[in-house]
Amino acid sequence: MAATIATSNEPAEVCSRCKGVGYYLLDVPFGHADFGQLITCRCRAFEKQQQRRQRLVEMSNLGPFQGKTFDNFDTSIKGVSRAFARARQFAQQPEGWLVLMGNYGCGKTHLAAAIANDVLQNHYISVLFAVVPDLLDHLRGTFGPSSEVAYDERFEQIRGAHLLILDDFGTENATPWAREKVYQIFNHRYNYRLPTVITSNRDPKEIDQRIFSRMSDRELCDEITIIDAGDYRMRLPNQRFTQSKQEAKRRAPRRERHSG
């Protein structure tokens, strides 16, 4: 089993297979294909997977969205119930593509972040959540002399993430370089059928048709979900508070009445 970090004065557990080295040799005779070959131990593979997952979480910048969950999403708002149900279903079984489209402030980002938080908590897969313009900035940053990550490595992290959540697609600067990078990400994930969530407020006619065609493939995305709701940010604070109280009351379990 993997070596663990001690949380007390007790010594850390050492892997019985590799003795903490991370690699081992198979006991096979000379001439065997694996003779003399270093085999990566399960504990080291697990450690690398954890490190990769942590790097993706850090790059996802989910910090401001850690509080966005399905439990605190206001389903009483008219026009959001379908998107809420589909987002929750996707989080339970992250397969295919989920496309959420709607105006500003209708809850797209909340649902996308809720999916990311739920999957990170309940599924052992790496999740990359990113606002598309910020994602492109991460890529551009690799060209700088102070970058600690090569462009190829960063690009592979993005397009190959187990679950990629692209928020605010269509708000990026539409330079030829940006359009081509975004297309390459979409095309790679389309070809390999990788789970992807996309949110956008753009009119389909304004989206690169090469990308929209892939978003519309019913074998991968059985429907494009439209959120027909107003801007939640435009509601007065007292309106939000009242709705939140009503929603909490509706979700609270009913108490059984006892006759005295």
Side-chain angles (χ1 to χ4, degrees), residues 254-260:
R254 296 181 179 179
R255 296 182 178 178
E256 295 183 1
R257 295 183 179 179
H258 300 278
S259 56

Side-chain angles (χ1 to χ4, degrees), residues 5-259:
I5 299 176
T7 56
S8 64
N9 293 327
E10 297 179 2
E13 180 184 352
V14 178
C15 176
S16 59
R17 171 171 288 186
C18 70
K19 310 303 180 184
V21 177
Y23 302 90
Y24 61 91
L25 293 171
L26 291 177
D27 185 14
V28 293
F30 178 78
H32 191 280
D34 290 326
F35 179 81
Q37 297 293 323
L38 283 176
I39 307 298
T40 302
C41 187
R42 286 176 299 179
C43 71
R44 178 58 60 88
F46 177 82
E47 179 184 345
K48 287 183 176 180
Q49 190 174 10
Q50 285 282 68
Q51 291 174 348
R52 181 175 182 271
R53 181 185 180 197
Q54 184 59 34
R55 285 196 300 269
L56 288 172
V57 170
E58 292 171 355
M59 192 170 69
S60 294
N61 196 29
L62 264 173
F65 306 106
Q66 285 183 346
K68 303 293 186 183
T69 67
F70 291 117
D71 289 337
N72 60 26
F73 184 84
D74 191 352
T75 56
S76 67
I77 298 175
K78 184 179 180 180
V80 301
S81 58
R82 177 67 176 169
F84 176 83
R86 288 185 58 77
R88 196 159 204 170
Q89 180 183 20
F90 184 91
Q92 293 172 354
Q93 190 171 2
E95 296 178 353
W97 286 17
L98 176 68
V99 181
L100 303 175
M101 303 189 75
N103 293 323
Y104 295 104
C106 68
K108 302 185 303 297
T109 296
H110 188 138
L111 289 175
I115 292 172
N117 289 319
D118 190 274
V119 170
L120 281 172
Q121 182 177 355
N122 298 308
H123 300 272
Y124 188 70
I125 63 174
S126 59
V127 179
L128 175 56
F129 175 97
V131 179
V132 175
D134 295 342
L135 193 68
L136 293 172
D137 285 344
H138 278 298
L139 278 176
R140 292 188 187 95
T142 61
F143 296 130
S146 61
S147 176
E148 298 179 356
V149 182
Y151 167 82
D152 290 342
E153 180 182 352
R154 176 59 52 81
F155 190 64
E156 185 56 36
Q157 286 177 344
I158 294 170
R159 72 174 191 169
H162 291 159
L163 171 59
L164 178 62
I165 300 178
L166 298 171
D167 191 36
D168 270 351
F169 166 59
T171 60
E172 65 276 2
N173 188 9
T175 64
W177 181 87
R179 286 197 301 268
E180 193 57 30
K181 293 300 112 180
V182 171
Y183 168 72
Q184 288 175 359
I185 292 170
F186 271 87
N187 190 51
H188 177 85
R189 300 192 69 80
Y190 175 81
N191 289 337
Y192 287 92
R193 297 300 197 254
L194 298 176
T196 309
V197 176
I198 304 133
T199 79
S200 179
N201 59 25
R202 308 302 293 180
D203 187 303
K205 296 178 182 178
E206 299 174 348
I207 297 175
D208 185 333
Q209 291 304 298
R210 298 177 300 172
I211 294 176
F212 190 71
S213 173
R214 287 159 174 75
M215 290 167 56
S216 305
D217 188 337
R218 292 298 177 261
E219 290 186 1
L220 199 59
C221 175
D222 55 1
E223 74 172 68
I224 293 178
T225 306
I226 307 298
I227 305 179
D228 186 17
D231 190 340
Y232 180 78
R233 303 184 188 98
M234 299 295 290
R235 299 173 187 270
L236 296 174
N238 63 327
Q239 291 177 315
R240 297 186 188 184
F241 179 71
T242 300
Q243 287 179 339
S244 297
K245 285 181 63 179
Q246 292 173 343
E247 183 63 14
K249 184 177 180 181
R250 185 182 69 82
R251 293 184 180 183
R254 296 181 179 179
R255 296 182 178 178
E256 295 183 1
R257 295 183 179 179
H258 300 278
S259 56

